[in-house]
Amino acid sequence: TENGWSTNARVPTDDAEIASLLGVSVVLVAAARQFLGEARFTRLVEAFRGVSEDDQANFTVRGILVALSRGVARYAVYTLDDGAATTAATNQEAAFGLFRADGTAKPVVGVLWNLTERVGSFRFVGEVSDAFGLDRADRREWALAFRDGVRVAIAFWRWKDGRRTIRLPAVPGAALILNSAGNVLEHTDKGGVLDLTLGPEVTWLEFTGPASRPSL
């Protein structure tokens, strides 16, 4: 099936908006409100709140990487375009697009483009979190390795409790650290120490030649 995140962070407030969002009658919404009580009903509606455009980008890329690591062969991102601007402002279903209603790209487009460059021809070879001493409590930190011949790319992220920096003391040969948009943050031609910051966005460690290929 499809997977995606709406970028409409506004929660519908009145029964007519909620009915429109869910595709049900206003009478049914009113009945649910009465049956659940105001507090429980409000919590239910809150679950429909969208995310920021940056979070949409982070969640989409991380979702694809986790799916690849689980052997998912095809992943359908929902969806290409937002609905009309007035609709996308009131209806979460109309705000799942990679592109806004005016045709401009959301941040998710750039990170998806970079993802295809990083792992387009790569194959997943393993979760390597333990090798980097990552915090696996609640699976809060991730390191997934992909390989294409002599090239190796490792995707890192930390999905909760802020950011932290880890030191890579023995990088073997040429390597790059890139952000989720593909911009080089740090590099070495001969190996050595690199610092990599873990955060909600995916950060890539890419080994670029035979001499730098780690054992995976």
Side-chain angles (χ1 to χ4, degrees):
T1 186
E2 306 97 348
N3 199 17
W5 284 265
S6 170
T7 57
N8 176 14
R10 178 177 173 272
V11 172
T13 54
D14 61 41
D15 288 357
E17 285 188 350
I18 296 170
S20 175
L21 170 65
L22 299 179
V24 299
S25 71
V26 175
V27 173
L28 183 58
V29 173
R33 186 189 294 273
Q34 183 176 7
F35 175 75
L36 295 173
E38 197 61 37
R40 291 176 63 195
F41 185 81
T42 298
R43 288 197 299 271
L44 174 65
V45 174
E46 176 66 26
F48 292 99
R49 185 185 294 277
V51 301
S52 70
E53 290 187 353
D54 286 338
D55 280 344
Q56 180 197 38
N58 294 335
F59 297 163
T60 301
V61 171
R62 284 158 34 184
I64 292 172
L65 290 172
V66 171
L68 290 173
S69 75
R70 300 298 188 265
V72 175
R74 287 182 172 82
Y75 188 102
V77 176
Y78 183 83
T79 183
L80 184 62
D81 298 307
D82 281 352
T86 53
T87 307
T90 59
N91 186 342
Q92 275 81 348
E93 184 66 24
F96 278 81
L98 306 182
F99 291 86
R100 304 180 188 94
D102 63 3
T104 56
K106 297 179 186 178
V108 65
V109 173
V111 298
L112 281 177
W113 183 273
N114 179 58
L115 176 66
T116 62
E117 290 196 332
R118 298 274 80 76
V119 299
S121 59
F122 284 56
R123 293 293 179 266
F124 175 71
V125 292
E127 185 172 324
V128 292
S129 306
D130 290 342
F132 291 94
L134 300 191
D135 184 353
R136 299 301 287 152
D138 299 328
R139 298 183 67 83
R140 63 168 52 88
E141 294 180 351
W142 290 74
L144 301 179
F146 299 83
R147 184 168 61 196
D148 177 19
V150 299
R151 294 179 61 205
V152 172
I154 304 176
F156 292 85
W157 70 88
R158 178 181 173 89
W159 71 271
K160 64 184 296 187
D161 300 333
R163 301 175 182 273
R164 79 178 183 100
T165 299
I166 60 173
R167 173 148 289 186
L168 311 175
V171 175
L176 302 171
I177 295 179
L178 307 99
N179 65 13
S180 59
N183 300 312
V184 176
L185 303 176
E186 202 171 346
H187 75 280
T188 176
D189 294 327
K190 298 180 180 179
V193 174
L194 288 174
D195 290 327
L196 187 147
T197 299
L198 299 169
E201 69 283 348
V202 171
T203 300
W204 293 93
L205 172 62
E206 185 168 322
F207 300 92
T208 55
S212 64
R213 173 180 160 185
S215 299
L216 295 174

